[in-house]
Amino acid sequence: MRYKDEKETEQLRDFAKNSIVDVLVRKTGHIKEAQERLSLIGEGRLEEAGVPQAFIELIRALPVERRDLLLRVTSKAGLEVSESDIYRDSMQGVSEDYLWRVLENSGLDPGEANISVQVLSGILVPAVSGESGITDRLRDIVADAVDTVPKEIQAGEVIVSKGDTITPQIAELLRRQGYPEAAFPIKTLLIISLSVISVFIWAKKNVLTLWDERKAGFLAFLFALCLVMGVLSAFYGMTGLGIVPMAGIAYVTMPHRRARATVLAGTFLLASLFFDVTPISSGEILLIGAVVAGIGEILFRRIDSRSSLWLCMVQLGLVSGAALLLSRWIFNSPFDYIFPLQVLFLSVLWGTLTMIILPLTEGLFDVLSPLRLMELCQPDHPLQKRLQIEAPGTYHHSQMVAILAEASSDALRLNSRLVKSGAFFHDIGKLKRPQFFVENQFGSKNAHDDISPVMSALVIVSHVREGLDLALENKLPEGIRHFIAEHHGTTCLGYFYKKAKKMGLDPSESQFRYPGPRPKTKETGLVMLADSIEAAVRAERENIKSFMDLKEIVDGVTESKLRDGQLDDTGFTLLDLAKIKEVMLKTLKSMYHTRNIVPLQENKTPENGKDGQM
């Protein structure tokens, strides 16, 4: 490595500057002034020549002849000295000894010669002196003219040894060799802190508020995973690929719109961490984040197995690598022939790592992925086995509700796996006292005939609380527990309430209502409708003779839930409810078909007539 030795160059410049002691300037103005004064002395104009008063008195005290001689000799001798190089080139002027020698043959006696020497000494001041301003400028010019000293560092040459002081020059050499400089990164920490705060505020507004505020820890885990994977990917020069594992887990555990927002927030956070490396690094990260956020929603739309999840992760990594390669080609950034192999290696590695992390994440943060939902839907789940044996009617009812709800959720583009899993477990509380529920009585005596309506209501309503206890005991995810708690909402048990009033008990309606809460999402609201509709159709099965009978039951149940306000918090629109009823009617026709149940003939009236019926 070639470099300029600043230390040695500075030493040479200091030497050049110090070699200039002083710049001497001949002050011709002083010489001219001295000559004018000497001429005035020759004319006898002592006061105008600036001769001290004491000397003027001594000169005028002399006889006229001696005085004239003194003035002539002094003026002539002084003018001759002022023209000599001894005076003009001297920084000290002329000495008195020199002046005495000049006046040696002048005809003056010692006293008169002494007066002349003293007067000349006062007039012939030094004509040469140093000029500090000019000297400083000349020193700077000379120093600037010194070229920098070029040097080379050969391979294997020691730059600094242990215990040596790191001078600015050594520090610069180490930086140029690629060694990191240890310094407190106040600027980086400040920007990262502001970025983290901004990202979490934005994520709270766009992800947690519309999803689940209790998942803040899971969101923080995703951001931390993005940063860690980004740092590891940086060792391969592909920092942006660190977004892929976070994106994969986000898209399989969160609603896609929230997952997209999370990926974009994590991308911004990672880009801010690497902002001071190079501008291109941050640009590449933002580009890959945008690609992952868009492609991820397409790739993870349907995950049927762990192998399909792994394949989607690899595909996501390869697409991200292709975007990275394109950006480097556009901006002429360096990459070599092994770059595609590195992309493939990281894609496979991150995909495999995601498969390992996902189950741990599901258990640690109680989140639901399609794979976990598929496992919950298996008939060999302990609670499903218990239902088959201890409450077979409830098990069959749950299966029918799942079929109805899943078909409707597909029509509404909801999370059908979540709806199906919730339907499978929504009534597990009936395992405590299955004989008190009509679907498990199979023609035997009704257990409610021997107890009061209030007690009957208490037993039936308690299956919600008991279901939540069983869910916690069997470690069912929180998302499934919502279906257990909300599938009846705050519905009133009208049959037992009316029965109690007929018996003259004067009951409070609150005693006959489920504890709630009402459904908070479209998924739990869908299971509520499917549960009530399936139970109503089963109860009236013997009386259903036509498609109109089915339609009347479905419309009646839906209208009842709407009037009671049970669907107010779900976000269902009238169009959603129309689709739900249409799909459930088609599904019920295939589930409870007889020769007499046929669909209504197609209405030939104009479209506005149909709307009027809605």
Side-chain angles (χ1 to χ4, degrees):
M1 183 184 74
R2 293 183 177 86
Y3 71 99
K4 295 177 181 179
D5 193 330
E6 298 294 341
K7 182 178 180 181
E8 191 167 331
T9 301
E10 190 62 29
Q11 289 175 347
L12 286 176
R13 287 174 178 170
D14 289 341
F15 179 78
K17 290 171 84 172
N18 295 331
S19 64
I20 299 176
V21 178
D22 211 345
V23 175
L24 302 179
V25 178
R26 178 183 290 156
K27 299 180 179 179
T28 56
H30 289 184
I31 298 173
K32 186 177 181 180
E33 181 184 353
Q35 290 175 341
E36 290 177 353
R37 293 176 64 187
L38 290 169
S39 297
L40 290 173
I41 290 174
E43 297 174 2
R45 298 158 64 180
L46 301 177
E47 286 84 357
E48 294 179 36
V51 177
Q53 189 62 37
F55 290 116
I56 292 175
E57 293 177 357
L58 290 174
I59 293 172
R60 288 182 175 168
L62 295 173
V64 176
E65 296 172 357
R66 302 306 296 177
R67 181 180 59 197
D68 292 340
L69 177 61
L70 174 61
L71 295 178
R72 275 196 318 273
V73 170
T74 302
S75 176
K76 181 181 178 182
L79 290 172
E80 290 176 355
V81 172
S82 67
E83 294 291 341
S84 67
D85 292 337
I86 294 177
Y87 168 68
R88 297 172 72 92
D89 296 338
S90 175
M91 293 181 63
Q92 289 80 26
V94 292
S95 65
E96 291 186 359
D97 291 340
Y98 176 74
L99 293 175
W100 277 103
R101 288 196 298 271
V102 170
L103 297 175
E104 215 171 27
N105 299 315
S106 62
L108 298 177
D109 61 33
E112 294 169 344
N114 184 46
I115 294 173
S116 179
V117 168
Q118 297 301 321
V119 171
L120 290 174
S121 296
I123 293 175
L124 297 173
V125 296
V128 176
S129 64
E131 185 65 38
S132 60
I134 297 175
T135 302
D136 292 339
R137 287 198 296 274
L138 181 60
R139 286 173 176 169
D140 292 338
I141 292 172
V142 171
D144 292 340
V146 176
D147 292 334
T148 54
V149 179
K151 286 199 174 177
E152 289 185 353
I153 294 180
Q154 302 297 331
E157 185 176 343
V158 176
I159 298 176
V160 64
S161 300
K162 183 177 180 180
D164 292 349
T165 301
I166 303 296
T167 63
Q169 178 175 319
I170 294 177
E172 179 60 27
L173 291 177
L174 293 175
R175 276 193 292 267
R176 291 179 60 185
Q177 286 290 326
Y179 291 96
E181 182 177 5
F184 189 73
I186 182 65
K187 180 180 177 182
T188 302
L189 290 178
L190 178 61
I191 292 180
I192 292 176
S193 299
L194 293 176
S195 299
V196 169
I197 294 172
S198 302
V199 165
F200 268 96
I201 292 175
W202 185 84
K204 176 175 173 53
K205 181 179 179 181
N206 293 275
V207 179
L208 295 180
T209 301
L210 301 177
W211 180 46
D212 190 343
E213 291 188 358
R214 289 168 293 182
K215 298 297 189 232
F218 176 57
L219 191 64
F221 166 77
L222 289 179
F223 290 154
L225 179 66
C226 179
L227 296 180
V228 171
M229 295 302 168
V231 172
L232 294 177
S233 300
F235 287 105
Y236 295 90
M238 293 176 283
T239 307
L241 290 186
I243 301 170
V244 173
M246 177 197 70
I249 294 178
Y251 272 110
V252 298
T253 56
M254 301 168 66
H256 280 185
R257 189 156 66 93
R258 319 292 185 254
R260 184 172 63 250
T262 302
V263 170
L264 293 175
T267 299
F268 175 76
L269 196 60
L270 185 62
S272 67
L273 177 65
F274 284 86
F275 81 99
D276 59 346
V277 178
T278 61
I280 294 180
S281 296
S282 296
E284 287 179 348
I285 293 170
L286 293 174
L287 172 63
I288 292 177
V291 171
V292 169
I295 299 298
E297 190 167 355
I298 300 173
L299 290 177
F300 293 94
R301 186 168 294 169
R302 195 75 180 176
I303 302 296
D304 298 316
S305 63
R306 294 193 180 274
S307 61
S308 64
L309 173 60
W310 183 85
L311 184 60
C312 286
M313 290 296 302
V314 174
Q315 291 174 342
L316 186 61
L318 293 177
V319 171
S320 304
L324 179 60
L325 179 62
L326 178 62
S327 70
R328 294 194 176 183
W329 178 74
I330 292 174
F331 292 103
N332 294 321
S333 298
F335 61 89
D336 50 32
Y337 66 93
I338 66 170
F339 180 83
L341 296 177
Q342 291 176 329
V343 170
L344 178 61
F345 171 73
L346 280 182
S347 300
V348 173
L349 178 62
W350 290 164
T352 305
L353 188 63
T354 302
M355 299 295 295
I356 297 173
I357 293 176
L358 183 59
L360 301 177
T361 303
E362 292 170 340
L364 186 62
F365 296 102
D366 195 17
V367 293
L368 289 169
S369 70
L371 304 179
R372 192 178 187 190
L373 291 173
M374 289 175 63
E375 292 170 355
L376 290 172
C377 291
Q378 298 301 316
D380 60 351
H381 190 280
L383 287 175
Q384 293 297 308
K385 284 185 175 180
R386 286 189 59 188
L387 280 175
Q388 294 174 39
I389 298 171
E390 300 175 30
T394 299
Y395 176 78
H396 181 265
H397 161 70
S398 298
Q399 298 292 314
M400 297 301 101
V401 171
I403 293 173
L404 287 172
E406 184 180 20
S408 300
S409 66
D410 286 335
L412 295 180
R413 296 182 180 276
L414 301 178
N415 189 340
S416 58
R417 286 198 184 92
L418 176 61
V419 170
K420 184 178 180 180
S421 301
F424 278 172
F425 291 94
H426 78 284
D427 266 346
I428 57 173
K430 293 179 180 180
L431 284 169
K432 290 289 185 179
R433 285 176 286 273
Q435 71 277 10
F436 281 89
F437 299 92
V438 65
E439 68 265 23
N440 297 313
Q441 292 172 357
F442 302 111
S444 61
K445 183 179 178 181
N446 193 331
H448 293 282
D449 293 341
D450 299 330
I451 59 177
S452 68
V454 176
M455 183 59 67
S456 294
L458 181 62
V459 171
I460 293 176
V461 167
S462 65
H463 88 273
V464 172
R465 175 181 54 78
E466 290 164 347
L468 290 173
D469 292 341
L470 276 174
L472 288 172
E473 182 181 332
N474 288 269
K475 297 181 173 55
L476 289 182
E478 184 181 17
I480 302 301
R481 298 200 297 270
H482 289 324
F483 289 89
I484 299 172
E486 299 173 14
H487 75 278
H488 283 300
T490 56
T491 304
C492 178
L493 293 169
Y495 173 79
F496 291 105
Y497 177 63
K498 292 174 183 177
K499 182 178 178 181
K501 291 186 72 173
K502 286 180 181 179
M503 294 175 63
L505 297 178
D506 191 22
S508 170
E509 185 178 331
S510 61
Q511 292 179 283
F512 294 84
R513 282 193 177 273
Y514 284 94
R518 296 181 302 188
K520 303 295 183 183
T521 64
K522 288 185 178 182
E523 285 82 2
T524 54
L526 195 54
V527 170
M528 167 185 271
L529 288 174
D531 179 44
S532 299
I533 289 172
E534 197 281 331
V537 170
R538 180 166 30 83
E540 296 293 330
R541 182 172 182 175
E542 299 299 326
N543 300 322
I544 297 175
K545 303 299 181 182
S546 68
F547 190 80
M548 276 300 297
D549 294 334
L550 275 177
K551 186 175 187 301
E552 184 178 350
I553 293 173
V554 172
D555 289 343
V557 171
T558 305
E559 183 64 25
S560 173
K561 297 300 181 184
L562 279 173
R563 281 200 312 269
D564 199 24
Q566 299 301 319
L567 303 177
D568 289 354
D569 300 330
T570 60
F572 280 138
T573 64
L574 292 178
L575 181 60
D576 292 336
L577 293 174
K579 287 183 179 179
I580 292 171
K581 290 191 290 185
E582 179 184 357
V583 172
M584 286 196 178
L585 280 170
K586 290 181 180 179
T587 308
L588 286 168
K589 178 180 174 296
S590 64
M591 290 167 58
Y592 297 100
H593 65 283
T594 69
R595 285 186 306 169
N596 295 328
I597 299 179
V598 294
L600 296 176
Q601 296 297 315
E602 183 179 356
N603 195 338
K604 302 298 183 181
T605 58
E607 287 295 318
N608 58 0
K610 292 181 182 179
D611 293 340
Q613 293 174 1
M614 278 289 286

